[in-house]
Amino acid sequence: MTSQRLATLAVGLALAAAAHAEITVGVTLGTTGPGASLGIPYKNAFQLVPATIAGEPVRYIVLDDESKPDNAAKNARKFVTEDKVDVLMGSNGVPSGVAITQVAAESKTPMISLTPLPPLPAERQPWVFIVPQPTELMMSAVAQDIRRRGLKKIGFIGFSDTWGDLVYNAITKLAPAHGFEVVTNERYARADTSVTGQVLKIMAARPDAVVVGGSGSPAATPQIALVERGFKGPIYHNHGTVNLPFIQTGKAAAEGAIAPTGALIVAEELPADFPTKKVSLDFVQRYESAFGAGSRNAFAGYSYDAVLLLEAAAPQALKKARPGTPEFRAALRDAIENVKNVVGTHGVYSLSADDRNGLDERARVLVHVADGKWRLTK
């Protein structure tokens, strides 16, 4: 074979490979460590996502960051330098999510965050999109219920990290307009097994209700302590708490816990015309078929919705470039920023340069624990 024919064949093979380049997604999650009760369902959902998007194969690389921000950043750097991923996803803890945003901005790789995030530096914001509902949007449902009940003094206990800050800042910002005052700001570490001292301080303040800024099974620690100390008022949580491990950890003490969440948790109880009911029901049925009755949770839905956003954006990006290139990553960023009316398991997403989440009040309902299950509060 002549050198010219060899060169022609090499070019042809390269073009064929480019034509069939796969979209690569790098996912870092805390499937071990204190965030594991959230990270595992986040990971499970990737067994239910499509293997192709817009006719292109998709490869999902999922790594455990052990619920540690440094590991999340390390995984993200591996994804962008070694795996040449087209999009980053993760993690299931706010500190870890923040760590990934720096890698996304530096490498100019779009990131779809699977956890709420605090306000980001201007240079990071263009590359980051957020699937879960904003904390203030969700906690406004709690504030409305507090006002409806006529409660005036609210205690707070939350994680001693960014997530605790987000919940505390949201509820204190909402307090004046809803006629109540937040009278404590107690904190605990995710891995703490006792919050007795903090709960005694809350009880001494005699609040009408308590808001917990925790997530997953560690959110049950103050719930249990408050019930054991005889607190009789409502105990409110946030959308980071709504999963089965919280109930399994809290047992009888979990009964009556109240939280805002995405509608997929109570999909069967939604009105027939609820905008996400069809998608939520389909996902819940598929998830519980794979992972067992009662295994539904909001966190798996966030992973699924992240892929729905990618699925909506990819066709536009593929018109401009091929996966595995800086041009495709830039085009994908632009396309995600402009998706409209994507119906997910949690809500209807319409993103923009000014709105990195794109959800509204259709993305939340209030639920409570009754007889060991999360039920719609009507």
Side-chain angles (χ1 to χ4, degrees):
M1 187 177 291
T2 67
S3 59
Q4 183 177 2
R5 290 183 65 188
L6 284 170
T8 301
L9 178 61
V11 171
L13 290 172
L15 290 172
H20 294 88
E22 60 190 2
I23 298 171
T24 307
V25 183
V27 186
T28 177
L29 295 167
T31 54
T32 59
S37 69
L38 310 184
I40 291 170
Y42 272 115
K43 181 181 179 180
N44 287 346
F46 285 96
Q47 297 182 39
L48 306 177
V49 297
T52 62
I53 289 177
E56 303 290 339
V58 186
R59 180 164 62 113
Y60 301 94
I61 308 170
V62 184
L63 296 180
D64 178 20
D65 56 41
E66 300 176 334
S67 308
K68 298 177 181 177
D70 289 349
N71 286 355
K74 181 179 178 181
N75 288 347
R77 292 196 185 281
K78 177 187 180 299
F79 290 146
V80 300
T81 58
E82 298 179 20
D83 302 303
K84 309 298 182 184
V85 301
D86 298 298
V87 60
L88 294 163
M89 293 184 184
S91 183
N92 49 287
V94 176
S96 294
V98 172
I100 302 167
T101 66
Q102 182 173 349
V103 180
E106 290 176 356
S107 64
K108 293 182 168 52
T109 304
M111 171 190 174
I112 303 178
S113 177
L114 303 181
T115 185
L117 294 173
L120 297 172
E123 66 273 14
R124 298 189 198 182
Q125 183 172 326
W127 293 94
V128 178
F129 307 92
I130 303 170
V131 171
Q133 302 90 332
T135 310
E136 190 170 328
L137 172 66
M138 298 304 265
M139 296 310 293
S140 66
V142 170
Q144 289 171 8
D145 196 64
I146 290 172
R147 179 174 59 187
R148 180 185 66 81
R149 294 172 184 247
L151 308 177
K152 299 299 182 183
K153 293 176 62 178
I154 308 302
F156 177 85
I157 179 171
F159 287 157
S160 53
D161 61 25
T162 315
W163 182 239
D165 294 343
L166 280 175
V167 179
Y168 178 76
N169 292 341
I171 199 66
T172 53
K173 183 177 179 181
L174 291 160
H178 291 82
F180 62 87
E181 177 187 6
V182 180
V183 296
T184 70
N185 182 11
E186 296 298 320
R187 301 303 182 99
Y188 69 107
R190 292 173 183 250
D192 286 352
T193 57
S194 174
V195 291
T196 300
Q198 296 94 317
V199 166
L200 287 174
K201 292 178 182 178
I202 291 172
M203 297 290 284
R206 298 185 179 277
D208 301 315
V210 175
V211 170
V212 179
S215 64
S217 52
T221 306
Q223 175 81 25
I224 294 168
L226 285 162
V227 172
E228 287 179 343
R229 291 286 168 178
F231 183 73
K232 300 300 183 184
I235 303 174
Y236 293 97
H237 291 260
N238 59 78
H239 49 316
T241 298
V242 186
N243 67 353
L244 185 58
F246 168 80
I247 297 174
Q248 292 171 331
T249 302
K251 299 183 175 64
E255 290 290 307
I258 304 166
T261 188
L264 74 92
I265 294 297
V266 287
E268 296 88 345
E269 299 180 61
L270 299 173
D273 60 351
F274 199 89
T276 66
K277 181 167 185 172
K278 182 178 179 180
V279 176
S280 297
L281 270 177
D282 175 70
F283 177 75
V284 164
Q285 290 166 358
R286 291 171 57 206
Y287 190 89
E288 293 197 344
S289 293
F291 302 106
S295 60
R296 72 181 68 188
N297 62 89
F299 312 105
Y302 293 139
S303 293
Y304 194 75
D305 286 358
V307 175
L308 290 179
L309 291 177
L310 176 61
E311 191 173 35
Q316 293 301 314
L318 288 165
K319 293 177 182 178
K320 299 180 179 180
R322 300 301 303 161
T325 65
E327 293 78 11
F328 181 74
R329 292 192 290 273
L332 187 59
R333 189 218 73 85
D334 293 345
I336 297 172
E337 187 175 83
N338 289 285
V339 297
K340 304 297 179 193
N341 299 316
V342 174
V343 180
T345 65
H346 277 279
V348 181
Y349 295 87
S350 292
L351 282 72
S352 70
D354 298 321
D355 189 346
R356 317 309 288 176
N357 170 258
L359 292 174
D360 55 29
E361 291 187 0
R362 294 174 294 178
R364 69 171 200 212
V365 294
L366 207 60
V367 297
H368 63 280
V369 179
D371 298 323
K373 295 180 180 179
W374 291 105
R375 303 299 302 270
L376 181 65
T377 300
K378 300 179 181 179

